[in-house]
Amino acid sequence: MYEGIVQELIDELGRLPGIGPKSAQRIAFHILQTEAFDVSRLAEVLVEVREKVRFCEVCGNVTEQERCAICRDPRRSAATICVVEEAKDVAAIERTREFKGLYHVLGGAISPIDGVGPEDLRIRQLMERLADGTVTEVIIATDPNLEGEATASYLSRLLVQPNLRVTRLASGLPVGGDLEYADEVTLGRAFEGRRVVQG
Amino acid sequence: MIVTRLSLTDFRNYRSVDLDLAPGPNLFVGRNGQGKTNLVESLGYLGTLGSHRVSSEQAMIRQGADAAIIRARVSHEDKELLLEVQLNRTGANRAQVNRHQVKVRELPGYFSTVLFAPEDLALVRGEPSLRRRFLDELLVLRNPRLSAVLSDYDRVLRQRNTLLKSARAAGVRGNDLSTLDVWDERLITLGSELIEARGRLVAELQPRVAEAYVSVAGDDHHAMLASRLSVLAGDPDAESDEQDIRTVMAAEEVMARFRESLDRLRRSELDRGMTLVGPHRDDLVLELNGMPARGYASHGESWSFALALKLASAGVLRAESRVGDPVLVLDDVFAELDESRRGRLGAAVDDFEQVLITAAVFGDVPPALARNTVQIERGTIVDARNPTGDTEPTPVEERMSDVAD
Ligand SMILES: Nc1ncnc2c1ncn2[C@@H]1O[C@H](COP(=O)(O)OP(=O)(O)OP(=O)(O)O)[C@@H](O)[C@H]1O
Ligand SMILES: [Mg+2]
Ligand SMILES: [Zn+2]
């Protein structure tokens, strides 16, 4: 425990996701001791980000305008929507440059333990986007964990409608790695989830 | 496989110890509280990443030290492996195989051990959860992927129970609960996989248990196993034998029965706010001459059954092993048995490649198993009848290198 304001800083930093007490302490002392560290710039950005950034009216991605850059881009195909849990997943998929359609950010996954049910996710907004028949494929790209799978299967029941294809991202072995170094759990799962490629 | 050398640093009450071990039986003797169990517990940890005494790894680090190191040289035929694990007071544990960094959870893939301990009696007399754990641990040793299925199943269960509880609180009835179906589906898929895997394991254990019981107890009593499956029950709390099966049910059949039970019990599940069927409510029924061992068998009979279960599990691992027999560890077991059972247990384990035995009283152990005896006193080896003839002490090696996991 440190005195007063120093401990308060450590406590506040420790509330951030992914930052434990040790890292919080390390960051706090970096801020205190490093002269080159521009505290007022950080403070400004923190305030600004709260004021300026909001969520895209259409897809729920982060943006500084009513609609995000992806939704505004006329070159993107409006026929495909990729459904993800968080805005950071949009960024991850964008980095692949593989996908040319639009996104829909749910804002989480179904998880009773965390008090999240379907009504807490942006599912109603998704259904509205599908109403006029422009969209012909929904790709469900929720996380490949239990809650992500549960959300995917809830959605796939809900999204049964004519002329709509619903697909799920394949999960399995990490690419770029060697098969022999994949751990047995991942490798075992990959076997379970194998797909037919021929015949 | 055998352990040819075991070295411990700051493990339990050992500051530093290096010990050569012989093939066949190795006996550790010493008064109570000197460190016999500690010594074999270290090997148990390498083989299972767990301890038969505590769930916390912290207890295994010597008081006052900040890391414990277990280092074992194991050999099978002409191949040798050096397995090392460092348990840290703070931060992640580290493991190495032949000086190459591996994930800690990969260690059991290189070394297998079956531990017998006085606590095993609870397999026969204790709660169903202990028998489920016995089966599940063996399942994971044989098929590591199932550890993910087990932890996913637990998580689905918690999610589903939370949902049922909140639905009860909100007064939601039956079919209005749209997300319950989603969890049911996962519960059925994962749960059926576990039920089926346990069922196949029980079928493999059955003949081995019957045989091992006869050889340990020395009479022709008939030891039988049955799976008590909650998915077969009409009433989830009744102990009726319509739930007990002795055959392996096919996966589709399990799934169908699971689904039926959930449908039938939806009302009571909502009333009680919990999941009433599934592998978490199952049991392994142990029967002796047609009567349940729990509640009927005598003390000696219960012991024989517990030993038979352990011998059978060693047999299953041995049958599938590509690296020889699992190393058997008999911690304080002989003190619990009468004279004739001691001799017969000794004979039953005699053909395993290596058996490590602890005893406070030398005379409790059959002479055939006392060929190599190590005397232990307050965390040091005071007298090792050196089995390999190699007398040179190895220097305590430096800490394992600081490579991130
Ligand atoms: N982390 C630790 N640090 C230091 N000492 C420890 C630690 N954990 C256990 N001990 C000590 O180790 C001793 C117990 O050793 P162990 O359980 O191996 O005894 P044992 O020789 O098997 O005795 P028994 O014959 O009673 O089974 C106790 O004295 C205990 O205090
Ligand atoms: Mg002991
Ligand atoms: Zn958008």
Side-chain angles (χ1 to χ4, degrees):
Chain A
M1 281 301 257
Y2 295 89
E3 269 174 54
I5 187 86
V6 177
Q7 188 60 44
E8 276 177 44
L9 175 60
I10 295 174
D11 290 346
E12 287 305 319
L13 289 168
R15 267 193 255 281
L16 300 173
I19 298 190
K22 283 213 163 160
S23 314
Q25 192 175 317
R26 191 146 20 97
I27 297 170
F29 278 93
H30 178 81
I31 294 175
L32 288 178
Q33 291 170 342
T34 317
E35 270 175 38
F37 189 81
D38 191 348
V39 179
S40 42
R41 176 70 195 134
L42 175 64
E44 259 169 47
V45 176
L46 285 176
V47 174
E48 232 176 292
V49 83
R50 267 299 178 86
E51 279 170 358
K52 284 192 181 159
V53 173
R54 40 187 168 163
F55 297 98
C56 171
E57 281 181 349
V58 182
C59 73
N61 192 10
V62 287
T63 176
E64 291 181 30
Q65 306 184 15
E66 273 175 15
R67 294 166 64 204
C68 74
I70 297 170
C71 288
R72 288 196 313 264
D73 186 343
R75 291 163 304 176
R76 310 283 302 212
S77 157
T80 323
I81 288 183
C82 177
V83 178
V84 294
E85 290 181 20
E86 309 284 352
K88 64 182 165 47
D89 302 328
V90 172
I93 296 174
E94 282 300 284
R95 278 195 296 274
T96 70
R97 295 160 193 259
E98 203 51 55
F99 179 65
K100 303 284 186 274
L102 301 174
Y103 291 93
H104 192 85
V105 180
L106 290 173
I110 298 175
S111 175
I113 298 173
D114 302 307
V116 181
E119 63 288 347
D120 303 307
L121 303 174
R122 301 180 64 257
I123 292 177
R124 190 177 44 80
Q125 291 88 330
L126 175 63
M127 301 310 285
E128 284 165 10
R129 290 178 76 182
L130 302 179
D132 69 0
T134 316
V135 178
T136 54
E137 180 176 0
V138 171
I139 302 168
I140 303 177
T142 49
D143 291 348
N145 56 24
L146 217 58
E147 290 73 23
E149 295 294 347
T151 308
S153 94
Y154 180 80
L155 287 176
S156 61
R157 284 156 193 245
L158 208 60
L159 298 180
V160 179
Q161 43 178 272
N163 306 321
L164 182 67
R165 206 154 76 101
V166 180
T167 54
R168 174 92 176 101
L169 282 196
S171 75
L173 294 170
V175 254
D178 277 326
L179 195 70
E180 64 169 313
Y181 295 125
D183 68 81
E184 57 285 71
V185 172
T186 311
L187 199 52
R189 283 199 163 164
F191 261 92
E192 284 294 287
R194 66 190 185 274
R195 291 177 308 187
V196 176
V197 291
Q198 226 285 307
Chain B
M1 95 180 70
I2 67 166
V3 180
T4 54
R5 190 183 189 86
L6 174 65
S7 311
L8 301 176
T9 306
D10 291 332
F11 183 86
R12 293 279 192 185
N13 64 338
Y14 291 92
R15 204 173 275 277
S16 167
V17 69
D18 274 287
L19 182 64
D20 288 323
L21 297 171
N26 290 258
L27 173 61
F28 304 100
V29 286
R31 285 177 298 109
N32 293 133
Q34 301 302 303
K36 305 180 297 292
T37 298
N38 294 346
L39 198 75
V40 293
E41 181 188 36
S42 68
L43 289 173
Y45 184 81
L46 282 184
T48 62
L49 300 184
S51 156
H52 63 300
R53 293 199 293 192
V54 286
S55 54
S56 151
E57 293 166 3
Q58 294 293 319
M60 292 191 258
I61 303 169
R62 191 174 61 82
Q63 200 168 36
D66 46 41
I69 302 176
I70 307 167
R71 186 177 281 136
R73 192 174 287 285
V74 302
S75 84
H76 169 61
E77 285 164 3
D78 54 357
K79 281 192 280 292
E80 282 231 322
L81 282 179
L82 180 65
L83 309 178
E84 298 171 273
V85 64
Q86 176 171 323
L87 306 174
N88 292 316
R89 190 74 73 189
T90 52
N93 299 334
R94 305 175 189 295
Q96 292 189 354
V97 174
N98 284 346
R99 300 279 178 193
H100 289 288
Q101 188 89 12
V102 297
K103 294 202 179 82
V104 174
R105 68 180 154 84
E106 292 175 45
L107 279 177
Y110 295 92
F111 179 65
S112 89
T113 170
V114 174
L115 182 117
F116 297 62
E119 289 84 350
D120 291 342
L121 189 58
L123 277 179
V124 181
R125 304 197 144 177
E127 295 303 307
S129 61
L130 296 169
R131 287 179 290 279
R132 290 194 292 268
R133 198 170 66 196
F134 166 74
L135 292 176
D136 293 344
E137 283 175 2
L138 193 51
L139 281 180
V140 170
L141 285 179
R142 299 175 31 166
N143 183 354
R145 187 183 62 83
L146 288 176
S147 72
V149 177
L150 280 163
S151 58
D152 278 0
Y153 181 81
D154 277 350
R155 192 161 169 88
V156 172
L157 206 56
R158 288 210 297 137
Q159 292 282 19
R160 192 173 185 276
N161 287 345
T162 310
L163 186 63
L164 288 167
K165 276 196 197 76
S166 58
R168 180 180 56 173
V172 178
R173 299 278 14 134
N175 298 334
D176 297 345
L177 202 51
S178 59
T179 48
L180 193 54
D181 290 342
V182 167
W183 297 109
D184 285 0
E185 197 182 297
R186 309 300 304 157
L187 189 80
I188 292 169
T189 312
L190 294 161
S192 301
E193 184 168 3
L194 290 178
I195 293 171
E196 205 222 0
R198 281 186 192 160
R200 273 187 278 118
L201 177 59
V202 171
E204 275 179 67
L205 286 170
Q206 170 62 66
R208 296 176 187 278
V209 167
E211 193 191 314
Y213 186 93
V214 171
S215 65
V216 174
D219 52 38
D220 59 357
H221 286 177
H222 201 47
M224 284 280 289
L225 305 177
S227 302
R228 175 162 298 163
L229 302 183
S230 56
V231 297
L232 299 182
D235 167 3
D237 294 320
E239 282 209 10
S240 65
D241 39 358
E242 68 183 288
Q243 312 178 52
D244 295 358
I245 63 158
R246 291 182 174 71
T247 51
V248 185
M249 243 201 301
E252 303 77 58
E253 164 103 39
V254 177
M255 290 182 78
R257 300 298 299 262
F258 208 145
R259 192 160 281 130
E260 272 168 39
S261 302
L262 286 178
D263 284 347
R264 188 158 29 91
L265 290 169
R266 179 148 288 200
R267 225 211 154 74
S268 0
E269 289 197 324
L270 280 162
D271 285 341
R272 294 172 58 175
M274 62 189 287
T275 301
L276 296 173
V277 286
H280 65 292
R281 308 265 294 189
D282 291 350
D283 196 0
L284 172 68
V285 183
L286 314 177
E287 286 174 357
L288 205 52
N289 294 333
M291 282 178 295
R294 195 184 179 196
Y296 285 83
S298 74
H299 187 72
E301 288 167 343
S302 301
W303 254 111
S304 298
F305 216 129
L307 293 171
L309 285 169
K310 280 301 174 79
L311 284 169
S313 68
V316 165
L317 290 176
R318 172 191 234 180
E320 289 187 344
S321 168
R322 273 172 241 168
V323 289
D325 297 351
V327 172
L328 300 192
V329 175
L330 275 56
D331 185 24
D332 247 344
V333 172
F334 288 100
E336 306 281 337
L337 306 176
D338 61 31
E339 196 63 37
S340 59
R341 278 192 175 81
R342 284 177 186 166
R344 278 191 295 265
L345 175 61
V349 299
D350 196 45
D351 69 331
F352 277 81
E353 289 176 76
Q354 191 173 46
V355 188
L356 310 179
I357 301 146
T358 77
V361 180
F362 182 79
D364 285 351
V365 180
L369 298 179
R371 273 178 275 156
N372 299 294
T373 304
V374 175
Q375 183 85 34
I376 290 178
E377 224 175 272
R378 276 182 296 159
T380 51
I381 311 296
V382 292
D383 173 28
R385 204 87 29 92
N386 202 322
T388 57
D390 154 28
T391 50
E392 214 160 291
T394 0
V396 182
E397 280 147 301
E398 76 297 345
R399 282 278 159 81
M400 286 173 62
S401 54
D402 243 44
V403 191
D405 239 344

